[in-house]
Amino acid sequence: MNTLLQDLKSYTTNPISILDTTIPFKKYVPLNLSKDNEELFGLDITNYSICQNYIDKVLHDKQGLIAYGGYLEKRNLYNDKEGFTSSTKPIRNIHLGIDYWCAAFTKVIVPIKGVVHSFKNNNVIGDYGPTIILKHILGNHTFYTLYGHLSVDSLDGLFIDKEFQAGEIIGRLGTPDINVNYAPHLHFQIIKDLEGNNGDYPGVCANVQLSFYQENCPDPNILLKLK
C-alpha cells in the first residue's frame, strides 16, 4: 500500500529551498543543538543572544548562510520556558520539526503546493510567534506543513484556503522579540493529523509521547532532501 512517506520521498529527487532561493544549497550547513553536543556545555542557549553567537560561529566555521537541523533532537533550549519543564508533567525537550537558522526577514518559501488551513500569532514566550499552517494533498494523502517564528507581516492578507504554489514566498523570518525569545529561524514541521488544532500544533514533545509524534510528524527532510 502506498504511504504518505513514499509520496513525500518520490515528490522530487532534487533538494527544495525552504528559505530565500538565491541562497545556494551549499550554504545550508548542519547544526547540532542537542543536549549531548559538548560544544554547548556551559552555554546558556536559552538566552537567544548566546544561542545566536553559537550559530554564527558554526556558520562562520562551515562557510554557511543557513544552519539547519533538529528533527527528534533532545535539547536544553527550552529549559527556561514554562510549559516545557513543568514539575507536574513530563519534560518536553524533543524537537519535532527542522529548524532553519538565518538572518531575520529572510524569505520563507513554500516547498509544495497547498492552501492556508489556519494562522495565528502564538505570542507566548517559548511558542512560535506568528505561525501559518498549510494543507496539502499529495496522491491520496492529505497532510499539513507548519511554518513558525515568522514576522508579524507574514500574516497580512492571509485567509483560509488562500492558495500557495510551490516556490512562492509565504512569509519572512521574525526577530527575537516577535518570535518570542528565540534567535531568528524557521520551524518547519510536517503533520499528518492536526488533531483539531488551528494555527498551532506541538513542536516539542516528551519522551513518553515520542512514539505517537514521530509517526504523526515525519522527518521534513524526506520532502526537502537537504542532506
Side-chain angles (χ1 to χ4, degrees):
M1 180 182 294
N2 197 29
T3 67
L4 173 60
L5 294 184
Q6 289 173 323
D7 282 345
L8 291 172
K9 185 176 182 180
S10 62
Y11 175 71
T12 179
T13 59
N14 300 317
I16 300 175
S17 294
I18 193 71
L19 295 181
D20 189 339
T21 54
T22 66
I23 301 175
F25 292 117
K26 66 181 180 181
K27 293 297 184 178
Y28 283 72
V29 298
L31 176 71
N32 178 4
L33 290 182
S34 76
K35 58 193 288 290
D36 297 322
N37 181 358
E38 294 182 0
E39 292 184 353
L40 297 177
F41 291 0
L43 295 182
D44 179 14
I45 62 166
T46 64
N47 181 315
Y48 69 81
S49 294
I50 293 175
C51 185
Q52 184 67 68
N53 288 341
Y54 176 72
I55 292 167
D56 289 343
K57 179 182 182 301
V58 171
L59 290 173
H60 177 269
D61 292 347
K62 297 182 179 180
Q63 299 182 328
L65 292 175
I66 299 172
Y68 74 98
Y71 181 64
L72 301 188
E73 200 170 65
K74 289 187 177 182
R75 295 173 164 177
N76 290 327
L77 188 60
Y78 318 108
N79 284 0
D80 67 329
K81 297 169 179 68
E82 188 176 350
F84 292 85
T85 58
S86 169
S87 60
T88 60
K89 296 179 181 179
I91 293 174
R92 294 194 300 129
N93 64 355
I94 302 175
H95 190 251
L96 298 173
I98 293 181
D99 286 334
Y100 299 86
W101 306 81
C102 193
F105 308 116
T106 300
K107 297 171 185 175
V108 178
I109 307 301
V110 176
I112 183 172
K113 177 182 177 181
V115 300
V116 173
H117 171 273
S118 52
F119 53 94
K120 185 169 63 171
N121 189 354
N122 298 289
N123 58 359
V124 176
I125 293 293
D127 212 319
Y128 293 124
T131 309
I132 302 173
I133 296 178
L134 297 186
K135 176 182 178 181
H136 310 271
I137 297 175
L138 184 60
N140 296 320
H141 305 285
T142 298
F143 70 100
Y144 305 87
T145 53
L146 183 150
Y147 308 78
H149 306 292
L150 303 175
S151 62
V152 171
D153 61 5
S154 299
L155 305 184
D156 292 347
L158 289 185
F159 54 87
I160 304 305
D161 290 332
K162 180 177 180 178
E163 187 172 290
F164 283 92
Q165 298 295 326
E168 281 194 281
I169 298 168
I170 193 173
R172 301 183 301 156
L173 299 187
T175 52
D177 57 320
I178 298 302
N179 70 30
V180 284
N181 217 38
Y182 293 107
H185 71 288
L186 170 71
H187 173 95
F188 178 70
Q189 186 169 335
I190 294 176
I191 305 163
K192 292 181 181 179
D193 181 0
L194 280 171
E195 303 180 89
N197 285 277
N198 283 278
D200 196 10
Y201 190 81
V204 180
C205 77
N207 192 61
V208 295
Q209 304 166 312
L210 181 56
S211 178
F212 169 78
Y213 281 112
Q214 185 172 2
E215 168 64 25
N216 199 44
C217 302
D219 184 351
N221 215 38
I222 295 172
L223 172 65
L224 300 183
K225 300 175 177 66
L226 286 172
K227 292 182 178 178

